[in-house]
Amino acid sequence: MLLTPEIRTSVTELSNLLAEDFFEIGSSGQIWRIRDGIDVSGIGVVRMQLSDFEIHPLSENIILTTYKIFNEDKQQHSLRSSIWKYEHAKWKMVFHQGTPAG
């Protein structure tokens, strides 16, 4: 979901998917927290291909997702992991990490 331009450019949609305490360790090594704010244009549009998506249950209401991304704009591969928590009848992402891959 977070890969589509409609979601990535909507503050409302991003707020619906990201937990209040969300943080990310990007493939650049930078740490970003939702409390730092979402830009009025969202998080930007990037042309990406997703593969090898897997869901790993950690508990009844917490899952780890892992997948690979190919960033078409940068011609770069990365490994991704996200932790999602089910609360108040919604899944919200609480953590995300991107790691460059060869």
Side-chain angles (χ1 to χ4, degrees):
M1 262 196 267
L2 286 170
L3 300 179
T4 66
E6 298 79 22
I7 301 293
R8 293 180 66 85
T9 58
S10 170
V11 174
T12 301
E13 293 297 333
L14 288 168
S15 296
N16 285 332
L17 289 172
L18 303 177
E20 290 180 18
D21 56 349
F22 171 83
F23 72 103
E24 172 181 344
I25 301 171
S27 57
S28 65
Q30 294 184 323
I31 296 174
W32 180 80
R33 298 177 187 281
I34 197 167
R35 70 172 182 243
D36 297 332
I38 299 172
D39 189 89
V40 293
S41 60
I43 56 176
V45 176
V46 180
R47 293 182 309 131
M48 295 180 266
Q49 295 175 20
L50 181 142
S51 64
D52 300 328
F53 184 84
E54 294 183 10
I55 296 174
H56 310 273
L58 300 177
S59 72
E60 187 175 300
N61 65 333
I62 298 175
I63 61 169
L64 167 68
T65 62
T66 57
Y67 50 98
K68 295 178 184 175
I69 289 288
F70 176 67
N71 182 321
E72 295 175 3
D73 298 325
K74 294 182 179 179
Q75 296 292 298
Q76 207 169 41
H77 293 271
S78 60
L79 303 174
R80 302 294 176 126
S81 60
S82 302
I83 297 176
W84 293 77
K85 186 173 185 180
Y86 190 73
E87 275 187 324
H88 311 293
K90 288 185 168 183
W91 283 101
K92 292 217 174 198
M93 187 187 299
V94 296
F95 173 77
H96 179 75
Q97 180 167 359
T99 304

